[in-house]
Amino acid sequence: MATFVLIPGGGCDSSYWRPLVAELRERGHEAVRVDLPCEDDAAGLAEYADAAVEQIGDRTGLIVVAHSLGGFTGPLVCERVPVDLLVMLTAMTPSPGETPGEWWTATGHDQAMREAAGHHGPPEEDHGFDPVFYHDVPAELVAEVEQHPRGQSGTPMKEPWPLPAWPRVPTKFLLCRGDRLFPAEFMRRVVRERLGIVPDEIDGGHMVMLSRPAELADRLVAYARHNRHEAGAPRTTSPSP
């Protein structure tokens, strides 16, 4: 049995992992839905990692799944506790010394968004939620998630990512082909440049844990199974400086 440590993106309540947690438990695995102090202006990246480590407790067999902005926190957790595998789920992949606020310009995100504009077809009917994040999520799940609004402090956005290199832990990157925040072609390039690997791909948008929880659970469980078989020869990656 693996324990999946689910690290949320910016300004997110951990409740948005609920459908995925149910699917993982049906498959015989456990999950920790990490709550980060995202509204606390006194909390930065170190405090985010502290919060995750505290909620992990003495659990073992850990697979860290870092989503979106959680990509800046997930690797820090891997430096603090024994982790079997790190899965970057359509996540921001940092370079040493880079702040989350700098990441957007450093990766060329604005240009990628301009290039992706117009690829999404005609505008959807306005249901009152952001189509960049929720275009493929059932309306009832969007309504449920939005009952738990969280703010996002700017404090971690100004803090340089503190690791000198990528942690020595096997790493997978799973991008979402329909992601409107981090377009697929953009993410393929960023992952290749920063991690030196070819990302895996799944259908769905940025909130794939809501739109395709069963498919995502299958991918994560397959990662866990494969990683156990590969445990004797883990692959490590290092971001470009």
Side-chain angles (χ1 to χ4, degrees):
M1 182 188 77
T3 298
F4 292 90
V5 179
L6 308 175
I7 299 180
C12 287
D13 182 89
S14 66
S15 64
Y16 81 132
W17 293 109
R18 182 188 58 77
L20 176 62
V21 169
E23 296 287 347
L24 291 171
R25 287 176 175 165
E26 282 187 9
R27 290 157 176 77
H29 299 275
E30 192 50 79
V32 178
R33 298 187 303 178
V34 173
D35 270 309
L36 298 178
C38 59
E39 295 170 305
D40 185 355
D41 287 334
L45 296 175
E47 287 73 25
Y48 284 23
D50 289 343
V53 169
E54 180 178 358
Q55 290 165 65
I56 290 169
D58 59 0
R59 295 177 177 89
T60 58
L62 305 179
I63 296 179
V64 171
V65 181
H67 178 237
S68 199
L69 178 61
F72 271 77
T73 300
L76 303 183
V77 174
C78 296
E79 288 285 275
R80 300 273 302 275
V81 295
V83 171
D84 293 339
L85 180 68
L86 170 61
V87 180
M88 300 286 280
L89 176 61
T90 189
M92 298 167 70
T93 302
S95 287
E98 181 179 72
T99 71
E102 293 168 341
W103 182 91
W104 307 88
T105 299
T107 57
H109 181 264
D110 284 351
Q111 178 64 27
M113 291 292 281
R114 287 192 293 270
E115 292 172 355
H119 295 175
H120 309 312
E124 295 92 344
E125 180 182 351
D126 184 3
H127 294 289
F129 53 80
D130 189 343
V132 172
F133 292 92
Y134 297 116
H135 68 93
D136 62 341
V137 178
E140 63 273 16
L141 283 181
V142 178
E144 180 180 327
V145 168
E146 292 193 340
Q147 291 177 4
H148 307 276
R150 298 287 300 276
Q152 176 59 58
S153 168
T155 297
M157 306 304 174
K158 305 170 187 175
E159 293 192 353
W161 194 62
L163 298 186
W166 202 253
R168 295 183 61 82
V169 60
T171 300
K172 293 283 189 179
F173 195 104
L174 183 59
L175 67 77
C176 300
R177 297 188 190 98
D179 196 332
R180 297 186 180 182
L181 180 64
F182 297 150
E185 190 57 37
F186 162 74
M187 292 304 268
R188 292 182 190 113
R189 173 179 59 80
V190 171
V191 173
R192 181 179 66 249
E193 293 174 352
R194 296 194 165 205
L195 293 179
I197 61 175
V198 176
D200 296 323
E201 303 189 11
I202 189 171
D203 289 332
H206 195 67
M207 305 300 279
V208 67
M209 67 292 295
L210 293 171
S211 64
R212 296 174 179 267
E215 186 176 345
L216 179 56
D218 285 342
R219 289 294 192 100
L220 295 176
V221 169
Y223 282 159
R225 186 181 304 116
H226 179 76
N227 193 65
R228 283 199 301 271
H229 294 158
E230 296 284 313
R235 177 174 60 183
T236 59
T237 57
S238 298
S240 300

CSV table of all heavy atoms in Angstrom, one decimal, residues 136-188:
chain,number,residue,atom,x,y,z
A,136,ASP,N,-13.7,21.7,-17.9
A,136,ASP,CA,-14.1,20.3,-18.1
A,136,ASP,C,-14.6,19.6,-16.8
A,136,ASP,O,-14.7,18.4,-16.7
A,136,ASP,CB,-13.0,19.5,-18.7
A,136,ASP,CG,-11.7,19.4,-17.8
A,136,ASP,OD1,-11.6,20.2,-16.9
A,136,ASP,OD2,-10.9,18.5,-18.1
A,137,VAL,N,-14.8,20.4,-15.7
A,137,VAL,CA,-15.2,19.9,-14.4
A,137,VAL,C,-16.7,19.9,-14.3
A,137,VAL,O,-17.3,21.0,-14.6
A,137,VAL,CB,-14.6,20.6,-13.3
A,137,VAL,CG1,-15.0,20.1,-11.9
A,137,VAL,CG2,-13.0,20.6,-13.4
A,138,PRO,N,-17.4,18.9,-13.8
A,138,PRO,CA,-18.9,18.9,-13.6
A,138,PRO,C,-19.2,20.1,-12.7
A,138,PRO,O,-18.6,20.4,-11.7
A,138,PRO,CB,-19.2,17.6,-13.0
A,138,PRO,CG,-18.1,16.7,-13.5
A,138,PRO,CD,-16.9,17.5,-13.5
A,139,ALA,N,-20.3,20.8,-13.1
A,139,ALA,CA,-20.7,22.0,-12.4
A,139,ALA,C,-21.0,21.7,-10.9
A,139,ALA,O,-20.6,22.6,-10.1
A,139,ALA,CB,-22.0,22.6,-13.0
A,140,GLU,N,-21.5,20.6,-10.6
A,140,GLU,CA,-21.7,20.3,-9.2
A,140,GLU,C,-20.5,20.2,-8.3
A,140,GLU,O,-20.4,20.6,-7.2
A,140,GLU,CB,-22.6,19.0,-9.0
A,140,GLU,CG,-21.9,17.7,-9.4
A,140,GLU,CD,-22.2,17.4,-10.9
A,140,GLU,OE1,-22.6,18.4,-11.7
A,140,GLU,OE2,-22.0,16.3,-11.3
A,141,LEU,N,-19.4,19.7,-9.0
A,141,LEU,CA,-18.1,19.6,-8.3
A,141,LEU,C,-17.5,21.0,-8.1
A,141,LEU,O,-16.9,21.3,-7.1
A,141,LEU,CB,-17.2,18.7,-9.0
A,141,LEU,CG,-17.4,17.2,-8.8
A,141,LEU,CD1,-16.3,16.4,-9.6
A,141,LEU,CD2,-17.4,16.8,-7.3
A,142,VAL,N,-17.6,21.9,-9.2
A,142,VAL,CA,-17.2,23.2,-9.1
A,142,VAL,C,-17.9,23.9,-7.9
A,142,VAL,O,-17.2,24.6,-7.1
A,142,VAL,CB,-17.4,24.0,-10.4
A,142,VAL,CG1,-16.9,25.4,-10.2
A,142,VAL,CG2,-16.6,23.3,-11.5
A,143,ALA,N,-19.2,23.8,-7.8
A,143,ALA,CA,-19.9,24.4,-6.8
A,143,ALA,C,-19.5,23.9,-5.4
A,143,ALA,O,-19.4,24.7,-4.4
A,143,ALA,CB,-21.4,24.2,-7.0
A,144,GLU,N,-19.2,22.6,-5.3
A,144,GLU,CA,-18.7,22.1,-4.0
A,144,GLU,C,-17.4,22.7,-3.6
A,144,GLU,O,-17.2,23.1,-2.5
A,144,GLU,CB,-18.6,20.6,-4.1
A,144,GLU,CG,-18.1,19.9,-2.9
A,144,GLU,CD,-18.0,18.4,-3.0
A,144,GLU,OE1,-18.9,17.8,-3.8
A,144,GLU,OE2,-17.2,17.8,-2.4
A,145,VAL,N,-16.4,22.7,-4.6
A,145,VAL,CA,-15.1,23.3,-4.3
A,145,VAL,C,-15.2,24.7,-3.9
A,145,VAL,O,-14.5,25.2,-3.0
A,145,VAL,CB,-14.2,23.1,-5.5
A,145,VAL,CG1,-12.9,23.9,-5.4
A,145,VAL,CG2,-13.8,21.6,-5.7
A,146,GLU,N,-16.0,25.5,-4.6
A,146,GLU,CA,-16.1,26.9,-4.3
A,146,GLU,C,-16.8,27.2,-3.0
A,146,GLU,O,-16.9,28.4,-2.6
A,146,GLU,CB,-16.8,27.6,-5.5
A,146,GLU,CG,-15.9,27.6,-6.8
A,146,GLU,CD,-16.3,28.5,-7.9
A,146,GLU,OE1,-17.5,28.9,-7.9
A,146,GLU,OE2,-15.4,28.8,-8.7
A,147,GLN,N,-17.3,26.2,-2.3
A,147,GLN,CA,-17.8,26.5,-1.0
A,147,GLN,C,-16.7,26.6,0.0
A,147,GLN,O,-16.9,26.9,1.2
A,147,GLN,CB,-18.7,25.3,-0.6
A,147,GLN,CG,-20.0,25.2,-1.3
A,147,GLN,CD,-20.9,24.0,-0.9
A,147,GLN,OE1,-20.5,23.3,0.0
A,147,GLN,NE2,-22.0,23.9,-1.6
A,148,HIS,N,-15.5,26.3,-0.4
A,148,HIS,CA,-14.3,26.4,0.5
A,148,HIS,C,-13.2,27.3,-0.1
A,148,HIS,O,-12.1,26.9,-0.4
A,148,HIS,CB,-13.7,25.0,0.6
A,148,HIS,CG,-14.7,23.9,1.1
A,148,HIS,ND1,-15.0,23.7,2.4
A,148,HIS,CD2,-15.4,23.0,0.3
A,148,HIS,CE1,-15.9,22.7,2.5
A,148,HIS,NE2,-16.1,22.3,1.2
A,149,PRO,N,-13.6,28.6,-0.3
A,149,PRO,CA,-12.6,29.5,-0.9
A,149,PRO,C,-11.4,29.8,0.0
A,149,PRO,O,-11.5,29.8,1.2
A,149,PRO,CB,-13.5,30.8,-1.1
A,149,PRO,CG,-14.5,30.7,0.0
A,149,PRO,CD,-14.8,29.3,0.1
A,150,ARG,N,-10.3,29.9,-0.6
A,150,ARG,CA,-9.1,30.2,0.1
A,150,ARG,C,-8.4,31.4,-0.7
A,150,ARG,O,-8.4,31.4,-1.9
A,150,ARG,CB,-8.1,29.0,0.1
A,150,ARG,CG,-8.6,27.8,0.9
A,150,ARG,CD,-8.7,28.0,2.4
A,150,ARG,NE,-7.4,28.3,3.0
A,150,ARG,CZ,-6.5,27.4,3.3
A,150,ARG,NH1,-6.7,26.1,3.1
A,150,ARG,NH2,-5.3,27.7,3.9
A,151,GLY,N,-7.7,32.2,0.1
A,151,GLY,CA,-6.9,33.2,-0.6
A,151,GLY,C,-5.4,32.7,-0.7
A,151,GLY,O,-5.1,31.7,-0.1
A,152,GLN,N,-4.6,33.5,-1.4
A,152,GLN,CA,-3.2,33.1,-1.6
A,152,GLN,C,-2.3,34.3,-1.3
A,152,GLN,O,-2.4,35.3,-2.0
A,152,GLN,CB,-2.9,32.6,-3.0
A,152,GLN,CG,-1.5,32.3,-3.3
A,152,GLN,CD,-0.9,31.2,-2.4
A,152,GLN,OE1,-1.5,30.1,-2.3
A,152,GLN,NE2,0.1,31.5,-1.6
A,153,SER,N,-1.6,34.1,-0.2
A,153,SER,CA,-0.6,35.2,0.2
A,153,SER,C,0.4,35.3,-0.8
A,153,SER,O,0.8,34.4,-1.5
A,153,SER,CB,0.0,34.8,1.6
A,153,SER,OG,1.1,35.7,1.8
A,154,GLY,N,1.0,36.5,-1.0
A,154,GLY,CA,2.1,36.8,-1.9
A,154,GLY,C,3.4,36.5,-1.3
A,154,GLY,O,4.4,36.5,-2.1
A,155,THR,N,3.5,36.1,0.0
A,155,THR,CA,4.8,35.9,0.6
A,155,THR,C,5.6,34.8,-0.1
A,155,THR,O,6.8,35.1,-0.4
A,155,THR,CB,4.6,35.5,2.1
A,155,THR,OG1,4.0,36.6,2.8
A,155,THR,CG2,5.9,35.2,2.7
A,156,PRO,N,5.1,33.6,-0.4
A,156,PRO,CA,6.0,32.6,-1.0
A,156,PRO,C,6.3,33.0,-2.5
A,156,PRO,O,7.3,32.5,-3.0
A,156,PRO,CB,5.1,31.3,-1.0
A,156,PRO,CG,3.7,31.8,-0.9
A,156,PRO,CD,3.8,33.0,-0.1
A,157,MET,N,5.6,33.9,-3.1
A,157,MET,CA,5.9,34.2,-4.5
A,157,MET,C,7.2,35.0,-4.6
A,157,MET,O,7.8,35.1,-5.7
A,157,MET,CB,4.7,35.1,-5.0
A,157,MET,CG,3.4,34.5,-4.9
A,157,MET,SD,3.3,32.8,-5.7
A,157,MET,CE,1.7,32.3,-5.2
A,158,LYS,N,7.7,35.6,-3.5
A,158,LYS,CA,8.9,36.4,-3.5
A,158,LYS,C,10.1,35.6,-2.9
A,158,LYS,O,11.2,36.2,-2.9
A,158,LYS,CB,8.6,37.6,-2.6
A,158,LYS,CG,7.4,38.4,-3.0
A,158,LYS,CD,7.1,39.5,-2.0
A,158,LYS,CE,5.8,40.2,-2.3
A,158,LYS,NZ,5.4,41.2,-1.2
A,159,GLU,N,9.9,34.4,-2.5
A,159,GLU,CA,11.0,33.6,-1.9
A,159,GLU,C,11.7,32.7,-2.9
A,159,GLU,O,11.1,31.9,-3.6
A,159,GLU,CB,10.4,32.8,-0.8
A,159,GLU,CG,9.9,33.6,0.4
A,159,GLU,CD,9.6,32.7,1.6
A,159,GLU,OE1,9.8,31.4,1.5
A,159,GLU,OE2,9.3,33.2,2.7
A,160,PRO,N,13.0,32.8,-3.0
A,160,PRO,CA,13.8,32.0,-3.9
A,160,PRO,C,13.7,30.5,-3.5
A,160,PRO,O,13.7,30.2,-2.3
A,160,PRO,CB,15.2,32.5,-3.8
A,160,PRO,CG,15.1,33.9,-3.2
A,160,PRO,CD,13.9,33.9,-2.4
A,161,TRP,N,13.5,29.7,-4.5
A,161,TRP,CA,13.5,28.2,-4.2
A,161,TRP,C,14.8,27.8,-3.6
A,161,TRP,O,15.9,28.1,-4.2
A,161,TRP,CB,13.2,27.5,-5.5
A,161,TRP,CG,12.8,26.1,-5.3
A,161,TRP,CD1,11.7,25.6,-4.6
A,161,TRP,CD2,13.4,24.9,-5.8
A,161,TRP,NE1,11.6,24.2,-4.6
A,161,TRP,CE2,12.7,23.8,-5.3
A,161,TRP,CE3,14.6,24.7,-6.5
A,161,TRP,CZ2,13.1,22.5,-5.6
A,161,TRP,CZ3,15.0,23.4,-6.8
A,161,TRP,CH2,14.3,22.3,-6.4
A,162,PRO,N,14.8,27.2,-2.4
A,162,PRO,CA,16.1,27.1,-1.7
A,162,PRO,C,17.0,26.0,-2.0
A,162,PRO,O,18.2,26.0,-1.6
A,162,PRO,CB,15.6,27.0,-0.3
A,162,PRO,CG,14.3,26.3,-0.4
A,162,PRO,CD,13.7,26.8,-1.6
A,163,LEU,N,16.5,25.0,-2.8
A,163,LEU,CA,17.4,23.8,-3.0
A,163,LEU,C,18.4,24.1,-4.1
A,163,LEU,O,18.1,24.8,-5.1
A,163,LEU,CB,16.6,22.6,-3.5
A,163,LEU,CG,15.5,22.1,-2.5
A,163,LEU,CD1,14.9,20.8,-3.0
A,163,LEU,CD2,16.1,21.9,-1.1
A,164,PRO,N,19.7,23.6,-4.0
A,164,PRO,CA,20.7,23.8,-5.0
A,164,PRO,C,20.5,22.9,-6.2
A,164,PRO,O,21.1,23.2,-7.2
A,164,PRO,CB,22.0,23.5,-4.2
A,164,PRO,CG,21.6,22.5,-3.2
A,164,PRO,CD,20.2,22.9,-2.7
A,165,ALA,N,19.7,21.9,-6.1
A,165,ALA,CA,19.5,21.0,-7.2
A,165,ALA,C,18.2,20.2,-6.9
A,165,ALA,O,17.7,20.2,-5.7
A,165,ALA,CB,20.7,20.0,-7.3
A,166,TRP,N,17.8,19.5,-7.9
A,166,TRP,CA,16.6,18.6,-7.7
A,166,TRP,C,16.8,17.6,-6.6
A,166,TRP,O,18.0,17.0,-6.6
A,166,TRP,CB,16.2,18.0,-9.0
A,166,TRP,CG,14.7,17.6,-9.0
A,166,TRP,CD1,14.2,16.4,-9.0
A,166,TRP,CD2,13.6,18.5,-9.1
A,166,TRP,NE1,12.8,16.4,-9.0
A,166,TRP,CE2,12.4,17.7,-9.1
A,166,TRP,CE3,13.5,19.9,-9.2
A,166,TRP,CZ2,11.1,18.2,-9.2
A,166,TRP,CZ3,12.2,20.4,-9.3
A,166,TRP,CH2,11.0,19.6,-9.3
A,167,PRO,N,15.9,17.2,-5.8
A,167,PRO,CA,16.2,16.2,-4.7
A,167,PRO,C,16.4,14.9,-5.4
A,167,PRO,O,15.9,14.6,-6.5
A,167,PRO,CB,14.9,16.2,-3.9
A,167,PRO,CG,13.8,16.8,-4.8
A,167,PRO,CD,14.5,17.8,-5.6
A,168,ARG,N,17.2,14.0,-4.7
A,168,ARG,CA,17.6,12.7,-5.2
A,168,ARG,C,16.4,11.7,-5.0
A,168,ARG,O,16.5,10.9,-4.1
A,168,ARG,CB,18.9,12.2,-4.6
A,168,ARG,CG,20.1,13.1,-5.0
A,168,ARG,CD,21.4,12.6,-4.5
A,168,ARG,NE,21.7,11.2,-5.0
A,168,ARG,CZ,22.2,11.0,-6.2
A,168,ARG,NH1,22.5,12.0,-7.0
A,168,ARG,NH2,22.5,9.8,-6.5
A,169,VAL,N,15.4,11.9,-5.7
A,169,VAL,CA,14.2,11.0,-5.6
A,169,VAL,C,13.7,10.8,-7.0
A,169,VAL,O,13.7,11.7,-7.9
A,169,VAL,CB,13.1,11.7,-4.7
A,169,VAL,CG1,12.7,13.1,-5.3
A,169,VAL,CG2,11.9,10.8,-4.5
A,170,PRO,N,13.2,9.6,-7.3
A,170,PRO,CA,12.6,9.3,-8.6
A,170,PRO,C,11.5,10.3,-8.9
A,170,PRO,O,10.7,10.5,-8.0
A,170,PRO,CB,12.1,7.9,-8.5
A,170,PRO,CG,13.0,7.3,-7.4
A,170,PRO,CD,13.3,8.3,-6.5
A,171,THR,N,11.4,10.9,-10.1
A,171,THR,CA,10.5,11.9,-10.4
A,171,THR,C,9.7,11.6,-11.7
A,171,THR,O,10.3,11.2,-12.7
A,171,THR,CB,11.2,13.3,-10.5
A,171,THR,OG1,11.8,13.6,-9.3
A,171,THR,CG2,10.2,14.4,-10.9
A,172,LYS,N,8.4,11.8,-11.6
A,172,LYS,CA,7.6,11.7,-12.8
A,172,LYS,C,6.9,13.0,-13.0
A,172,LYS,O,6.6,13.7,-12.0
A,172,LYS,CB,6.5,10.6,-12.6
A,172,LYS,CG,7.0,9.2,-12.6
A,172,LYS,CD,7.4,8.7,-14.0
A,172,LYS,CE,7.7,7.2,-14.0
A,172,LYS,NZ,8.1,6.8,-15.4
A,173,PHE,N,6.6,13.4,-14.2
A,173,PHE,CA,5.8,14.6,-14.5
A,173,PHE,C,4.6,14.1,-15.4
A,173,PHE,O,4.8,13.5,-16.4
A,173,PHE,CB,6.6,15.6,-15.3
A,173,PHE,CG,6.0,17.0,-15.3
A,173,PHE,CD1,6.5,18.0,-14.4
A,173,PHE,CD2,4.9,17.3,-16.0
A,173,PHE,CE1,5.9,19.2,-14.4
A,173,PHE,CE2,4.2,18.5,-16.0
A,173,PHE,CZ,4.7,19.5,-15.2
A,174,LEU,N,3.4,14.5,-14.9
A,174,LEU,CA,2.2,14.2,-15.6
A,174,LEU,C,1.5,15.5,-16.0
A,174,LEU,O,1.0,16.3,-15.2
A,174,LEU,CB,1.3,13.4,-14.7
A,174,LEU,CG,0.0,12.9,-15.3
A,174,LEU,CD1,0.3,12.0,-16.6
A,174,LEU,CD2,-0.8,12.1,-14.3
A,175,LEU,N,1.5,15.8,-17.3
A,175,LEU,CA,0.8,17.0,-17.8
A,175,LEU,C,-0.6,16.7,-18.3
A,175,LEU,O,-0.9,15.5,-18.5
A,175,LEU,CB,1.7,17.7,-18.9
A,175,LEU,CG,1.9,17.0,-20.2
A,175,LEU,CD1,0.7,17.1,-21.1
A,175,LEU,CD2,3.1,17.7,-20.9
A,176,CYS,N,-1.4,17.7,-18.4
A,176,CYS,CA,-2.8,17.5,-18.8
A,176,CYS,C,-2.9,18.1,-20.2
A,176,CYS,O,-2.7,19.3,-20.4
A,176,CYS,CB,-3.7,18.1,-17.8
A,176,CYS,SG,-3.6,17.5,-16.2
A,177,ARG,N,-3.3,17.3,-21.2
A,177,ARG,CA,-3.4,17.8,-22.6
A,177,ARG,C,-4.4,18.9,-22.8
A,177,ARG,O,-4.2,19.7,-23.7
A,177,ARG,CB,-3.8,16.6,-23.5
A,177,ARG,CG,-2.8,15.4,-23.5
A,177,ARG,CD,-3.2,14.4,-24.6
A,177,ARG,NE,-2.4,13.2,-24.4
A,177,ARG,CZ,-2.8,12.1,-23.8
A,177,ARG,NH1,-4.0,12.1,-23.3
A,177,ARG,NH2,-2.0,11.0,-23.8
A,178,GLY,N,-5.4,19.0,-21.9
A,178,GLY,CA,-6.4,20.1,-22.1
A,178,GLY,C,-6.2,21.2,-21.1
A,178,GLY,O,-7.1,22.0,-21.0
A,179,ASP,N,-5.1,21.3,-20.5
A,179,ASP,CA,-4.8,22.3,-19.5
A,179,ASP,C,-4.8,23.7,-20.2
A,179,ASP,O,-4.0,24.0,-21.1
A,179,ASP,CB,-3.4,22.1,-18.8
A,179,ASP,CG,-3.3,22.8,-17.5
A,179,ASP,OD1,-3.8,23.9,-17.4
A,179,ASP,OD2,-2.5,22.3,-16.7
A,180,ARG,N,-5.6,24.6,-19.7
A,180,ARG,CA,-5.6,26.0,-20.3
A,180,ARG,C,-4.8,26.9,-19.5
A,180,ARG,O,-4.5,28.1,-20.0
A,180,ARG,CB,-7.1,26.5,-20.3
A,180,ARG,CG,-8.0,25.6,-21.2
A,180,ARG,CD,-9.3,26.2,-21.3
A,180,ARG,NE,-10.2,25.4,-22.2
A,180,ARG,CZ,-11.4,25.7,-22.6
A,180,ARG,NH1,-12.0,26.8,-22.1
A,180,ARG,NH2,-12.1,24.9,-23.4
A,181,LEU,N,-4.3,26.6,-18.3
A,181,LEU,CA,-3.4,27.4,-17.6
A,181,LEU,C,-2.0,27.1,-18.0
A,181,LEU,O,-1.2,28.1,-18.2
A,181,LEU,CB,-3.6,27.2,-16.1
A,181,LEU,CG,-2.6,28.1,-15.2
A,181,LEU,CD1,-2.9,29.6,-15.4
A,181,LEU,CD2,-2.8,27.7,-13.7
A,182,PHE,N,-1.6,25.9,-18.1
A,182,PHE,CA,-0.3,25.4,-18.5
A,182,PHE,C,-0.4,24.6,-19.7
A,182,PHE,O,-0.5,23.4,-19.7
A,182,PHE,CB,0.4,24.6,-17.4
A,182,PHE,CG,0.6,25.4,-16.1
A,182,PHE,CD1,0.7,24.7,-14.9
A,182,PHE,CD2,0.9,26.8,-16.1
A,182,PHE,CE1,0.9,25.4,-13.7
A,182,PHE,CE2,1.1,27.5,-14.9
A,182,PHE,CZ,1.1,26.8,-13.7
A,183,PRO,N,-0.5,25.2,-20.9
A,183,PRO,CA,-0.7,24.5,-22.2
A,183,PRO,C,0.3,23.4,-22.3
A,183,PRO,O,1.4,23.4,-21.9
A,183,PRO,CB,-0.6,25.6,-23.2
A,183,PRO,CG,-0.9,26.8,-22.5
A,183,PRO,CD,-0.4,26.7,-21.1
A,184,ALA,N,-0.2,22.3,-23.0
A,184,ALA,CA,0.6,21.1,-23.0
A,184,ALA,C,2.0,21.3,-23.7
A,184,ALA,O,3.0,20.8,-23.2
A,184,ALA,CB,-0.2,20.0,-23.8
A,185,GLU,N,2.0,22.0,-24.9
A,185,GLU,CA,3.2,22.2,-25.6
A,185,GLU,C,4.2,23.0,-24.7
A,185,GLU,O,5.4,22.7,-24.7
A,185,GLU,CB,3.0,22.8,-26.9
A,185,GLU,CG,4.2,22.9,-27.8
A,185,GLU,CD,4.8,21.5,-28.1
A,185,GLU,OE1,4.0,20.5,-28.3
A,185,GLU,OE2,6.0,21.3,-28.2
A,186,PHE,N,3.7,23.9,-24.0
A,186,PHE,CA,4.5,24.7,-23.1
A,186,PHE,C,5.1,23.9,-22.0
A,186,PHE,O,6.3,23.9,-21.7
A,186,PHE,CB,3.6,25.8,-22.5
A,186,PHE,CG,4.2,26.5,-21.2
A,186,PHE,CD1,5.2,27.4,-21.3
A,186,PHE,CD2,3.6,26.2,-20.0
A,186,PHE,CE1,5.7,28.0,-20.2
A,186,PHE,CE2,4.1,26.8,-18.9
A,186,PHE,CZ,5.1,27.7,-18.9
A,187,MET,N,4.3,23.0,-21.4
A,187,MET,CA,4.8,22.2,-20.4
A,187,MET,C,5.8,21.1,-20.9
A,187,MET,O,6.8,20.8,-20.2
A,187,MET,CB,3.7,21.5,-19.6
A,187,MET,CG,2.8,22.5,-18.8
A,187,MET,SD,3.7,23.4,-17.7
A,187,MET,CE,3.6,22.4,-16.2
A,188,ARG,N,5.6,20.6,-22.1
A,188,ARG,CA,6.6,19.6,-22.6
A,188,ARG,C,7.9,20.3,-22.7
A,188,ARG,O,9.0,19.7,-22.4
A,188,ARG,CB,6.1,19.2,-24.0
A,188,ARG,CG,4.9,18.3,-24.0
A,188,ARG,CD,4.5,17.9,-25.4
A,188,ARG,NE,3.2,17.3,-25.4
A,188,ARG,CZ,2.1,17.8,-26.0
A,188,ARG,NH1,2.2,18.9,-26.7
A,188,ARG,NH2,0.9,17.2,-26.0
